[in-house]
Amino acid sequence: MVYFLIEKRYTSLFPGLAFAAGYKILQKIYRFGGQPMMKDYLSNNYRQKFYFYFGDRHGKTILHATAGSLIGIGEVILLPLDVLRIRAQTNPTAIRGRGIMRIVKTEGTSLYRGASWTAARNAPGSFALFGGSAAFKEYVFHLENYNDATFPQIFLSSIAGASASVMIAQPLDVIKTRVQSQAFEDPLCGITILRKLLVEEGSRALFKGLITKLSVVGPKLVFSFSIAQYLIAYLEKSLVQTQER
């Protein structure tokens, strides 16, 4: 009995763990693996336009940021896992006692509730993440090839990008989270939630939890972003060396 109570108390500290793990793993693979592919596509097809409108120096940074933004918008495909994670953490009664297949079957497209707000948050957030990192490498470290950055340079660039991303995306993230945390049977649209928030809590509520997010989410994002950039650069350089032999 005591063991059961301890186990129950312990597991209650990790609500929605399965959904969160699945979402975060797929999100990181998609975001950090997809951005270099999108960057290469834009570079091969639209590089001259970026350089023409923004200049040779700024064009490269904007290209990296735009690739990240487009990939960020595409993250809505993973939205059902994010919705279930948020429900399990903020409104567990909405999914309690229901298996994932039953939830998917009964709720259907409602699992994509908040997709527009997610895309609206991810577009500037991912733009700032990848753009901030690229700008730091360009204007602070003066790197011609970003893949030549050392790990300390990658780490500092990731701090700049992650901090900018969290701060810029925060207002839209507040609305997205409130849209997704509602009960399935009693939804409110994002505009209604935004209007209600501004009337009842004021505009400062859009930045509620920003310091906490910077101190909790920021380090996790910096760590994963740094490791991803370092490994991608290492693999790209190894591939080039192999082709030159």
Side-chain angles (χ1 to χ4, degrees):
M1 182 66 179
V2 174
Y3 174 78
F4 174 77
L5 292 175
I6 293 175
E7 183 181 22
K8 184 176 181 180
R9 179 177 298 179
Y10 178 76
T11 56
S12 67
L13 295 174
F14 300 94
L17 178 61
F19 298 129
Y23 173 72
K24 288 298 181 181
I25 291 172
L26 292 175
Q27 180 197 43
K28 295 298 185 287
I29 293 173
Y30 169 81
R31 178 188 291 180
F32 298 142
Q35 191 270 349
M37 297 174 64
M38 180 61 71
K39 178 202 66 180
D40 290 342
Y41 173 79
L42 294 177
S43 181
N44 293 334
N45 294 277
Y46 302 101
R47 178 171 55 187
Q48 296 304 321
K49 291 185 178 180
F50 276 93
Y51 285 9
F52 175 77
Y53 287 110
F54 301 105
D56 291 347
R57 188 180 185 188
H58 305 309
K60 182 167 59 174
T61 302
I62 298 298
L63 189 148
H64 277 256
T66 302
S69 182
L70 293 173
I71 287 296
I73 293 173
E75 279 186 27
V76 295
I77 194 173
L78 303 175
L79 196 58
L81 284 174
D82 191 30
V83 170
L84 293 174
R85 173 186 67 85
I86 292 174
R87 294 283 170 80
Q89 294 174 341
T90 63
N91 189 13
T93 57
I95 61 173
R96 183 173 297 161
R98 303 166 67 186
I100 185 170
M101 296 306 299
R102 181 183 173 190
I103 294 174
V104 171
K105 182 178 179 180
T106 56
E107 305 303 335
T109 57
S110 67
L111 291 174
Y112 281 93
R113 185 180 301 154
S116 58
W117 289 95
T118 301
R121 180 205 63 169
N122 287 353
S126 294
F127 187 95
L129 175 64
F130 292 96
S133 175
F136 212 77
K137 294 173 184 174
E138 180 74 35
Y139 305 123
V140 177
F141 298 125
H142 307 290
L143 295 171
E144 289 292 331
N145 184 352
Y146 297 160
N147 286 343
D148 293 335
T150 63
F151 187 79
Q153 290 174 330
I154 291 174
F155 183 75
L156 292 174
S157 300
S158 297
I159 292 176
S163 299
S165 176
V166 170
M167 288 187 289
I168 289 174
Q170 174 65 13
L172 291 167
D173 194 43
V174 169
I175 304 301
K176 179 193 82 78
T177 301
R178 296 197 181 194
V179 168
Q180 294 176 333
S181 62
Q182 300 175 92
F184 288 111
E185 64 278 0
D186 187 27
L188 292 176
C189 70
I191 296 298
T192 301
I193 291 175
L194 175 60
R195 188 183 300 116
K196 184 178 180 181
L197 180 146
L198 293 175
V199 171
E200 296 180 358
E201 303 177 49
S203 58
R204 296 180 63 179
L206 291 171
F207 294 92
K208 185 179 294 183
L210 177 59
I211 302 301
T212 302
K213 183 169 289 188
L214 283 171
S215 60
V216 176
V217 177
K220 294 188 292 184
L221 182 57
V222 169
F223 174 78
S224 59
F225 193 30
S226 299
I227 297 299
Q229 287 187 98
Y230 180 79
L231 291 177
I232 289 171
Y234 175 79
L235 292 173
E236 287 184 352
K237 287 188 289 186
S238 298
L239 181 61
V240 171
Q241 292 174 356
T242 301
Q243 293 175 342
E244 291 177 349
R245 292 175 182 175

